[in-house]
Amino acid sequence: MSLRHADVEVGTELPERTFRVRRLDLVRYAGASGDFNPIHWNERFAKSVGLPDVIAHGMFTMAEAGRVLTDWTGDPGCVVDYSVRFSAPVVVPDDDEGAEITVGGKVRAKNDDGTVNVLLTARSGGAKVLAKSTAVVRLA
Amino acid sequence: MAINAEYVGREYPAPEPYEVTRGKIREFAEAINDPNPVYVDPGAAKAAGYPDVIAPPTFPVILGMAGSAQAVADPDLGVDFSRVVHGDQSFHYTRPLHAGDVLTAVTRIADVRTLGGNGMLTLETVATAADGEHVVTAGMMLVVRA
């Protein structure tokens, strides 16, 4: 079921997807990852250090962008390299809607060793929240 | 307060090996809302060629977070944790983590710099399997906002 190297071309686009993130997701992510920085769950604290509101863990956004990558390849174990820069925070209001993160991607290079380079993008609230977001995946 | 640049190269070994378990992988996969069966179903993981369930690509942040907490807790490093946001993150894999791995992690301060008044602390965590095989290197840059 895994994507094959032969099936991919430079310029091939990954299916764009939108993920919702609510305060509950951040609390669960804090527990699972061990990142209890209060800027991710405590509005009073976040504002006291100059942030607009509670912000999502950057790693939550990186994980959702990673889902777009691994659902596309079919095999999450194929990831060789995965790097992102967090260029803007995902601000998560205290309501039922939360925030949305929209992720897309495109194949940038096909390599002779059976890997491909993918560029991922992520936007939230009109801002580009990931920059220089690249992955190398090994395809069958 | 500036980050102490004399700390570049300092290493923080994890106090004990990290055991990767099916339960922790499941908890992490659920926290990122990822239903991929290779994270939770040992049969699906074995069918895909793995010895047991594997961990999502960003799972090793757990090791990186633990290492960064050790470094940031060092008062002489001069990092005000209340001003910290995550600047960038990378993972370089030799192979995916799977349940049953017992990993030794060492976190090293790779770089310290100042940009526009903000401090930037780069940490690198190397995780090695019990047999000495490299598994993953996690790089993390923390911004200490001015």
Side-chain angles (χ1 to χ4, degrees):
Chain A
M1 294 287 279
S2 295
L3 190 67
R4 296 183 318 149
H5 195 253
D7 296 334
V8 173
E9 301 298 336
V10 172
T12 298
E13 293 196 3
L14 283 63
E16 186 175 275
R17 282 166 69 185
T18 296
F19 302 95
R20 191 167 292 284
V21 49
R22 301 180 180 87
R23 293 284 178 91
L24 176 61
D25 297 300
L26 302 183
V27 172
R28 282 206 305 170
Y29 188 79
S33 67
D35 183 349
F36 291 98
N37 189 331
I39 60 175
H40 303 307
W41 51 270
N42 184 331
E43 185 169 327
R44 176 172 46 85
F45 181 87
K47 288 180 173 169
S48 80
V49 295
L51 296 168
D53 202 336
V54 162
I55 63 171
H57 300 79
M59 290 307 300
F60 184 87
T61 300
M62 187 178 189
E64 300 314 299
R67 284 174 66 189
V68 169
L69 181 70
T70 56
D71 285 350
W72 176 68
T73 63
D75 176 9
C78 70
V79 178
V80 178
D81 283 293
Y82 183 22
S83 305
V84 305
R85 176 175 295 175
F86 304 109
S87 48
V90 174
V91 179
V92 182
D94 183 18
D95 60 28
D96 294 338
E97 278 71 48
E100 284 185 340
I101 304 166
T102 300
V103 178
K106 191 182 275 194
V107 175
R108 291 292 297 274
K110 267 183 94 168
N111 307 311
D112 293 339
D113 63 359
T115 62
V116 299
N117 299 3
V118 175
L119 181 72
L120 294 162
T121 59
R123 304 185 310 278
S124 181
K128 186 176 167 181
V129 295
L130 294 182
K132 297 190 176 180
S133 177
T134 58
V136 178
V137 291
R138 187 174 305 285
L139 300 180
Chain B
M1 183 164 72
I3 308 171
N4 188 345
E6 291 176 8
Y7 272 57
V8 173
R10 187 164 298 210
E11 293 188 340
Y12 299 84
E16 56 191 0
Y18 183 84
E19 295 182 37
V20 181
T21 64
R22 289 179 182 174
K24 188 65 190 180
I25 291 174
R26 175 186 286 274
E27 179 191 3
F28 192 89
E30 288 177 353
I32 63 172
N33 303 313
D34 192 332
N36 198 314
V38 298
Y39 301 145
V40 292
D41 177 354
K46 283 171 187 162
Y50 300 111
D52 205 323
V53 292
I54 62 169
T58 60
F59 182 93
V61 74
I62 293 169
L63 302 173
M65 285 299 307
S68 72
Q70 281 179 269
V72 168
D74 190 334
D76 293 331
L77 180 60
V79 171
D80 176 359
F81 188 67
S82 72
R83 307 298 302 175
V84 166
V85 294
H86 200 164
D88 69 32
Q89 180 72 40
S90 65
F91 299 100
H92 303 289
Y93 276 96
T94 296
R95 63 162 174 82
L97 280 65
H98 60 77
D101 270 329
V102 179
L103 302 174
T104 299
V106 178
T107 297
R108 186 176 68 89
I109 297 182
D111 192 32
V112 169
R113 61 182 63 201
T114 304
L115 194 68
N118 296 324
M120 300 166 89
L121 172 67
T122 302
L123 301 162
E124 191 177 84
T125 301
V126 178
T128 312
D131 63 2
E133 178 194 22
H134 173 265
V135 177
V136 63
T137 297
M140 172 184 285
M141 193 271 283
L142 300 177
V143 180
V144 186
R145 297 180 304 129

